[in-house]
Structures are given as C-alpha cells and as structure tokens.
Amino acid sequence: KLPFVKAKAEEAIPLQIAPAFPPYDHQFTAFKRLTTQDNHKPQSTLVTTGTSSGKTECFLYPILDYCYKNTDRKGIKIIILYPMNALATDQAKRLAESIWNDERIKGKITAGLFIGEGKDKKKFPKEMGENHIIENRDTIIDNPPDILLTNFKMLDYALLRNNYHNLWS
C-alpha cells in the first residue's frame, strides 16, 4: 500500500516521444536504460513493481521513441511478445491510444496484432484507429507494421512459414 515514488523533476526525460505525465521513478529509470538518445545503447531491463504502477509505460515510450527516430526505415522495428492473447489484445488498445493521442506519431507509426486471428478481412481492422491497431493478417503481411504484438507460438509459426516471409524482409 505504499505510494509509487515520482521521479525528480529536475532531470529531463531522455526521450523525444515522452509521456505527458510526470513519470514514477521506476519509469524514469527504465527510460534512461532503454533510450537510444545520444547513441546510448539500450540495456537489458527488468521491472518489477505493483499492479497499475505503469510497467507498460516503462518500455512503451522508449519503443515509440525508437520507432519515431526510425520512420524512414520500412518494416518491423519492434516485436512485443505476450504470453496470452487476452493480454496482447488489452495492450494493443493501450498502444493504439498512445499513438492516436500524440500528433507527432499519429499516422507515422503503425502497430499490428498477430495472434492467430485476423483471417476474416471484414472483421479485423486494416488500419490504425483511436482504440485499435491493425489486426487484418493480410494487411500485416503485405505492409509490415513498425511494431508487432504477438505470442511465442505465432512468432514461431511466422518464422517457419514461407507465406509470412514478407514480415521479415
């Protein structure tokens, strides 16, 4: 029941695409470890903290920052693996909202959800939206997004199947 400690305001967040809110100390520490600013090499980072403490933001903003700095490169830049489809779907909504609400990256960074669904072209979104990312499998394959959310089984499946080779080109 202890409150999460806010980061000290004196030090600037080392990201161009940074949160609009003041980060907690663990988020700020993660931003410093994961930034690519000034040719910093991101470091392996493990975050363990309580429920609803902003663990996702610890890696989300460095990922968005990296993609923003590499918009000139086509294709997948980041793969986010989730152990369960329900978690991937929930996080996809958060990712969509983060991209949609930042004018610097809205329409410039794309994300796709590749979790074993998406074959019904009418049912699954083909483009980014306010609260969803691309889910149509054909769209993801034909035009790989910057960020791919998936699970280990689908990643293995996509790496082994010839019809998914475009994802890795």
Side-chain angles (χ1 to χ4, degrees):
K1 297 195 178 206
L2 296 174
F4 301 111
V5 177
K6 292 280 185 190
K8 295 178 179 139
E10 307 89 58
E11 202 171 346
I13 296 173
L15 304 168
Q16 282 182 272
I17 305 301
F21 56 84
Y24 292 124
D25 189 55
H26 65 276
Q27 293 170 323
F28 184 76
T29 300
F31 297 160
K32 288 193 304 187
R33 291 180 59 83
L34 298 172
T35 187
T36 57
Q37 187 170 301
D38 300 326
N39 294 319
H40 178 266
K41 185 178 179 204
Q43 301 167 296
S44 296
T45 303
L46 179 65
V47 178
T48 59
T49 185
T51 303
S52 298
S53 62
K55 289 182 289 294
T56 298
E57 287 74 11
C58 289
F59 68 85
L60 178 63
Y61 285 97
I63 283 172
L64 294 174
D65 187 66
Y66 177 79
C67 290
Y68 177 71
K69 291 173 182 173
N70 289 280
T71 54
D72 58 321
R73 292 179 44 223
K74 293 285 183 201
I76 297 171
K77 295 161 193 60
I78 304 287
I79 298 173
I80 304 174
L81 290 174
Y82 286 105
M84 299 180 306
N85 289 351
L87 183 56
T89 302
D90 178 63
Q91 295 299 311
K93 183 177 185 290
R94 290 180 68 187
L95 179 59
E97 290 167 350
S98 297
I99 293 171
W100 185 269
N101 292 321
D102 190 324
E103 290 300 321
R104 297 170 296 175
I105 58 177
K106 181 179 177 181
K108 295 178 184 148
I109 294 176
T110 58
L113 183 62
F114 192 71
I115 59 171
E117 299 176 5
K119 290 182 181 178
D120 183 346
K121 294 177 183 169
K122 297 175 195 121
K123 186 177 176 187
F124 297 98
K126 292 182 176 183
E127 55 192 36
M128 298 283 298
E130 182 177 4
N131 58 10
H132 65 272
I133 61 177
I134 301 162
E135 294 182 41
N136 181 278
R137 187 175 293 175
D138 291 338
T139 302
I140 291 170
I141 293 165
D142 293 342
N143 190 17
D146 298 298
I147 303 167
L148 186 70
L149 281 72
T150 190
N151 58 51
F152 70 94
K153 285 193 173 205
M154 281 305 294
L155 179 61
D156 183 54
Y157 184 72
L159 288 169
L160 296 175
R161 299 279 310 241
N162 186 45
N163 55 323
Y164 295 125
H165 76 276
N166 194 44
L167 287 172
W168 320 119
S169 297

